[in-house]
Amino acid sequence: MTSTGSSRIRAAARAAAAQVLDTLADPASTAGGPQWADLSLSNGFPGVSLAFSGSTPRRPDHVARAHGHLTRAITSLAGGEHPPAGGYSGPGAVAFAVLIAHRATGGYHSALTQLDEHQRSLVRSALPALTDAPLATNGVFEVVRGMAGIGRYLLARRDSSAAELDMVLRYLVALTQGDLLHQGHRVPRWWTPAPPTPGQRDELPDGHLNLGLSHGVSGPLALLALAWRDGVRVEGQREALESLVGLLRRWATEDRDGIRWPGYLTLEHWAAGPGRKVPQQRPSWCYGAPGMTRAVQLAALALDRSDWHDLAHRSLLPLLALPLDSWGIDAPGLCHGWSGVLHLMGLIGEHLHDERLARVRDELAVRLLADLPNRADEPGFLEGAAGIALALDAYAEGRALSGWDMPLLVS
């Protein structure tokens, strides 16, 4: 695609992002819908506030709109008790939203101090003990519900949260060490008897090993790599990074186009070993490439591993070689849709030099713009309008590192 063509697409993306943001301006009219939850980063006031705190224009109306959503979130937070949660619901969701607003405006000091203490207290009270039994759920360690997501917030606030961040990193490192016995098989400590979704309980009675970025081991991999990058290191962290990348490398399935990753492994798959074909994932942030690709790339950057850079590149080759119609994406959102892949391709392209990436990003932007009229009416960050606007804005402005994507553990 010519530079003139790319410029036209970026201009269209900029205009579309602004139009979407206008639909999110009023908290009262934005709230609602079957998936709405006031204190959800995925689809609530904290997530919608990111659309204004994280987008490029720093106009006064953006600051005011972000503040309107944050005010509703903080009011809801003050209105009752909230069960322990990770970074995507309750106080953890508000913490991420306030942090990103603080970085954009310099304000919210008092709220941020209180939310820091909540997240520190959560780690001190809820960090699980390491045992020789499978984890009750991958929600213990993952990005959305678990310690990887909480740890990302603490890493950003490490000046005031160093002790609790250290606890989280040491816990995740410990999960990479050794294995345990489950149903007669030696399995990694990341194993959980719970299925990936409640509806799969009968289908997966022996549980699973989750490999994805949102709910699996790629989330801890990303956090450990980001911490190393920022000079925050604990004993065994390098070995943990090597263990996790080794696990992903072992289960990468090679074909004529490149490598592909399964989203999770059943006990049957684990026992049979990597030679057996396992179901592959459509490209997305949450599972498969390019989400897992980014986690591997972050580890490669942290430890300066050329072989890991090559692994990341090979995981993108099937996407770069195949037309978008064959990717299997049927949604526009960040989690498992076009906007998530668009944004990740920009991040990955900062350190992966393949001339096809720029062309594919333009094609992704065109597809996302075409899909906007058919998007779900959800306003939220992960699957709705707020995340779509942010991805379009980052693409239009040529900004790979944007700040708002911190909760995704991709930067």
Side-chain angles (χ1 to χ4, degrees):
M1 189 170 294
T2 66
S3 59
T4 301
S6 294
S7 296
R8 283 200 301 266
I9 300 168
R10 292 181 187 278
R14 187 177 296 110
Q19 185 176 9
V20 172
L21 289 175
D22 283 342
T23 69
L24 301 173
D26 178 20
S29 60
T30 300
Q35 304 299 321
W36 182 266
D38 284 357
L39 294 180
S40 168
L41 195 68
S42 176
N43 201 33
F45 292 120
V48 178
S49 79
L50 297 186
F52 300 104
S53 297
S55 54
T56 300
R58 295 293 349 127
R59 302 192 310 261
D61 61 328
H62 277 228
V63 176
R65 290 172 176 182
H67 184 72
H69 286 279
L70 284 173
T71 299
R72 292 288 296 268
I74 292 170
T75 300
S76 180
L77 186 62
E81 294 294 322
H82 303 280
Y88 273 70
S89 63
V94 182
F96 266 127
V98 169
L99 171 59
I100 291 167
H102 165 73
R103 290 187 166 188
T105 66
Y108 301 98
H109 288 280
S110 176
L112 201 54
T113 297
Q114 295 179 52
L115 290 161
D116 284 353
E117 175 53 32
H118 180 278
Q119 295 304 85
R120 291 194 298 264
S121 176
L122 179 59
V123 170
R124 293 193 299 267
S125 63
L127 190 71
L130 193 68
T131 72
D132 287 329
L135 300 170
T137 167
N138 46 307
V140 170
F141 65 79
E142 66 174 43
V143 168
V144 174
R145 297 171 292 173
M147 288 297 158
I150 296 169
R152 183 63 187 94
Y153 177 84
L154 297 176
L155 179 61
R157 302 291 292 165
R158 57 190 175 276
D159 289 347
S160 61
S161 306
E164 290 76 16
L165 174 59
D166 184 87
M167 293 168 65
V168 170
L169 295 177
R170 289 183 184 278
Y171 175 70
L172 296 176
V173 166
L175 286 175
T176 69
Q177 298 170 341
D179 55 18
L180 49 85
L181 187 64
H182 177 62
Q183 302 288 62
H185 297 278
R186 305 305 302 186
V187 297
R189 291 188 180 276
W190 307 100
W191 199 275
T192 171
T197 64
Q200 294 176 288
R201 191 168 299 278
D202 292 340
E203 174 188 346
L204 301 176
D206 300 316
H208 78 296
L209 171 65
N210 201 298
L211 302 179
L213 181 55
S214 60
H215 299 298
V217 302
S218 293
L221 171 62
L223 176 63
L224 291 168
L226 289 166
W228 188 281
R229 176 200 68 182
D230 290 351
V232 180
R233 298 165 190 179
V234 300
E235 184 179 355
Q237 190 168 337
R238 177 187 288 272
E239 292 79 7
L241 289 165
E242 292 171 346
S243 171
L244 287 166
V245 176
L247 178 64
L248 297 183
R249 189 202 299 269
R250 181 181 180 220
W251 286 95
T253 301
E254 194 96 31
D255 62 24
R256 60 185 176 84
D257 296 314
I259 66 166
R260 303 172 192 266
W261 279 301
Y264 61 84
L265 301 170
T266 67
L267 190 60
E268 181 183 9
H269 292 144
W270 179 263
R276 178 175 175 176
K277 188 174 181 179
V278 295
Q280 303 299 310
Q281 292 291 324
R282 64 184 172 186
S284 66
W285 165 72
C286 51
Y287 284 104
M292 293 167 66
T293 303
R294 178 58 174 172
V296 170
Q297 185 185 59
L298 288 171
L301 291 167
L303 298 188
D304 191 22
R305 291 285 297 265
S306 60
D307 56 332
W308 295 356
H309 280 293
D310 178 65
L311 179 64
H313 190 191
R314 287 191 293 130
S315 73
L316 285 190
L317 292 179
L319 301 183
L320 298 177
L322 298 172
L324 267 58
D325 286 340
S326 68
W327 288 19
I329 298 177
D330 58 4
L334 284 178
C335 183
H336 49 263
W338 296 115
S339 57
V341 177
L342 171 66
H343 187 60
L344 279 161
M345 290 296 198
L347 289 170
I348 293 166
E350 289 285 290
H351 302 280
L352 192 162
H353 305 295
D354 187 314
E355 61 185 14
R356 292 171 293 181
L357 266 173
R359 171 185 57 79
V360 168
R361 286 195 76 215
D362 288 340
E363 292 175 356
L364 286 165
V366 169
R367 179 63 60 95
L368 178 56
L369 289 167
D371 205 26
L372 270 180
N374 302 317
R375 68 173 175 83
D377 290 332
E378 295 178 4
F381 174 65
L382 265 190
E383 297 187 27
I388 294 168
L390 286 165
L392 286 171
D393 173 75
Y395 165 79
E397 302 302 328
R399 297 181 311 139
L401 297 175
S402 304
W404 57 262
D405 54 11
M406 185 192 308
L408 301 175
L409 266 83
V410 296
S411 71

